């Protein structure tokens, strides 16, 4: 079973700041990243700012899927809907990529430049 989720910012009336696709407790992995282990510095920074205020990062499970490709397609649709900060006009998400479908950008030849 796959799901598409949004991480929510309680400082901004639970506005989404990240969209992802996961299974099991995948969404929680983001909460335990460190500056050294995070591949998305903007998402990491947002989570740290929320935690510093003693608040909890919200999560909303948008939809569940039996088929992983359908989950990837829906994730891509939501990322396009909300837009990515710094990439899309009026984007609000900290997502770097348009989806998390492999091969992922962080394994590609431009990984270092993108991660910066």
């Amino acid at each position: 079973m796959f799901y598409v989720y949004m991480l929510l910012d309680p400082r901004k009336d639970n506005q989404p700041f990240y969209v992802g696709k996961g299974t099991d407790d995948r969404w929680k992995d983001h909460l335990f990243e460190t500056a050294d282990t995070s591949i998305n510095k903007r998402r990491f920074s947002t989570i740290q700012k929320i935690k510093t205020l003693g608040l909890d990062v919200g999560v909303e499970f948008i939809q569940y899927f039996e088929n992983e490709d359908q989950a990837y397609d829906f994730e891509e649709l939501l990322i396009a809907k909300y837009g990515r900060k710094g990439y899309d006009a009026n984007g609000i998400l900290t997502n770097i990529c348009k989806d998390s479908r492999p091969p992922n950008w962080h394994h590609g030849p431009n990984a270092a430049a993108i991660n910066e």
Side-chain angles (χ1 to χ4, degrees):
M1 179 74 63
F2 303 94
Y3 58 82
V4 173
Y5 63 98
M6 293 191 304
L7 297 181
L8 309 173
D9 190 337
R11 303 168 304 163
K12 299 179 179 178
D13 294 325
N14 288 319
Q15 175 179 294
F17 68 90
Y18 182 79
V19 172
K21 182 220 53 109
T23 60
D24 302 319
D25 287 335
R26 165 69 180 116
W27 72 274
K28 290 183 182 178
D29 292 348
H30 305 305
L31 305 180
F32 301 104
E33 292 177 331
T34 67
D36 292 331
T37 62
S38 179
I39 59 171
N40 182 328
K41 304 305 182 194
R42 289 197 262 176
R43 180 187 61 222
F44 174 75
S45 176
T46 300
I47 290 170
Q48 294 311 302
K49 288 175 184 173
I50 293 168
K51 288 172 131 182
T52 297
L53 294 173
L55 300 172
D56 293 325
V57 172
V59 64
E60 183 176 351
F61 299 95
I62 306 300
Q63 194 164 331
Y64 291 86
F65 299 88
E66 292 290 332
N67 179 290
E68 188 173 25
D69 283 329
Q70 290 176 334
Y72 279 128
D73 290 343
F74 190 66
E75 175 195 35
E76 185 176 358
L77 179 79
L78 284 180
I79 292 170
K81 174 183 175 181
Y82 289 99
R84 300 166 298 146
K85 271 187 196 175
Y87 298 97
D88 304 315
N90 303 314
I92 63 170
L93 301 175
T94 59
N95 291 68
I96 296 170
C97 295
K98 293 180 180 183
D99 66 30
S100 61
R101 192 184 313 265
N104 243 333
W105 63 268
H106 55 88
H107 296 294
N110 298 322
I114 292 171
N115 204 19
E116 289 298 315

